[in-house]
Amino acid sequence: MANAGVEPVVSAAWLKAHLGEANLQVIDGSWHLPVRKRDAAAEYVAGHIPGAIPLDIDTVADPAPPPPGRMLPSAERFAEQVGLLGLRPSAHLVVYDAVGMYSSARVWWMFRTFGHRAISVLEGGLPAWNAANGPMESGAPKRRDAVAWPVRPANQGVRDWRAVLRNIDTREAQLVDVRPPEQFRGSTAANYPGVRDGHIPGAISLPRNEFLLPNDTFPPPETIEKAIRSAGVDPDRPIIASCGSGVTACILALALELTGRQPCAVYDGSWEEWGHRPDLPATTD
């Protein structure tokens, strides 16, 4: 089994069977683009998996970044923030989101980037849990004692705009954009007002629905690999994943781990950062 006995994804049936175990903590990692006009905190209060601890990726983030607002924090801030939530470094963490397979992958990637390997994503998220008649509870988050979380430096799984700009010339890694084709080649204004159209030069389009099933679960590893190769991406070469806001790019990192490979690097700022900067090159070709 991957990650010292912890699988990268678990099913709703698995979580139902293990919910409440002493060494298991569940995270509600729900997050929504502002244009969606959904309130993740209010939705948590209305209903969540019993015992789930809410983690806001806008809070566990760099407190003063350029756009977008959820850039990876320092190792010290990450340790402080997750410790304040009462998350335990000895626990097996299982993260879900309200959409299905969206911001939960970002939470998984953050913990993996800072060295916590015992974390899984609930496949299909809250919709899958509800479909499996999993129990729910309502109410505000419970207060938990703060935990001393170890400060570990970020691994090589994160890239900034400087690394991506260099890569346009060096092509040391394949830059893979998981946004829908209409955003890759055309307009992004509907999701990111004020951001330019297009994509980073040299990027390869691999929409996430090519390697995700409609119910936000993953197909078998060989099907994931076929989808990646069909887009012209070699999964055995270095990859930098990009998306609109640095969230869904993490789904590709998770998908690669399911094929037995190490997660790819993620361009943290993604198009929301790059498209805000007129000094960085862009194309719609």
Side-chain angles (χ1 to χ4, degrees):
M1 296 175 72
N3 301 336
V6 171
E7 295 289 355
V9 299
V10 297
S11 67
W14 185 96
L15 184 56
K16 285 177 70 177
H18 294 273
L19 191 67
E21 291 183 356
N23 198 43
L24 183 77
Q25 289 187 298
V26 179
I27 298 172
D28 185 325
S30 300
W31 176 86
H32 307 289
L33 282 170
V35 296
R36 297 287 184 261
K37 299 188 183 305
R38 291 180 61 174
D39 186 334
E43 291 178 14
Y44 173 91
V45 172
H48 53 268
I49 295 176
I53 299 171
L55 186 156
D56 179 10
I57 61 174
D58 282 336
T59 300
V60 185
D62 184 338
R70 68 206 62 85
M71 303 285 272
L72 198 70
S74 67
E76 291 78 11
R77 180 173 173 82
F78 179 82
E80 175 190 37
Q81 291 293 313
V82 300
L84 287 172
L85 291 174
L87 293 168
R88 302 192 306 272
S90 61
H92 175 189
L93 307 178
V94 176
V95 58
Y96 73 90
D97 65 58
V99 174
M101 182 64 69
Y102 186 54
S103 53
S104 54
R106 169 79 184 190
V107 176
W108 172 87
W109 171 77
M110 290 168 66
F111 277 91
R112 288 296 305 275
T113 298
F114 286 115
H116 187 78
R117 298 183 64 83
I119 183 166
S120 307
V121 174
L122 175 62
E123 273 202 288
L126 197 58
W129 182 256
N130 289 329
N133 295 313
M136 294 285 285
E137 67 179 10
S138 60
K142 297 178 176 64
R143 290 188 61 85
R144 291 175 171 83
D145 292 336
V147 173
W149 190 276
V151 177
R152 305 186 186 102
N155 62 25
Q156 297 302 306
V158 60
R159 298 289 185 275
D160 64 11
W161 67 268
R162 298 170 186 83
V164 174
L165 183 63
R166 287 193 300 270
N167 192 70
I168 293 175
D169 294 325
T170 66
R171 301 296 172 98
E172 292 177 353
Q174 303 159 101
L175 181 63
V176 180
D177 191 323
V178 304
R179 291 178 299 163
E182 62 271 18
Q183 293 184 28
F184 181 82
R185 297 185 176 88
S187 177
T188 60
N191 286 333
Y192 309 104
V195 175
R196 290 179 295 167
D197 294 344
H199 57 266
I200 299 167
I204 302 169
S205 177
L206 174 58
R208 66 181 183 274
N209 63 4
E210 296 292 326
F211 55 89
L212 266 182
L213 298 174
N215 64 353
D216 275 348
T217 63
F218 288 102
E222 59 271 20
T223 304
I224 296 173
E225 179 158 343
K226 182 179 179 181
I228 291 171
R229 291 190 183 276
S230 295
V233 178
D234 181 351
D236 295 317
R237 289 190 55 229
I239 293 171
I240 301 171
S242 180
C243 60
S245 55
V247 173
T248 58
C250 302
I251 301 175
L252 179 56
L254 179 56
L256 282 164
E257 175 142 318
L258 291 173
T259 70
R261 297 172 173 85
Q262 289 295 312
C264 63
V266 170
Y267 169 30
D268 196 15
S270 283
W271 188 250
E272 193 172 3
E273 177 186 47
W274 194 279
H276 261 112
R277 294 194 40 177
D279 58 317
L280 297 176
T283 182
T284 55
D285 292 338

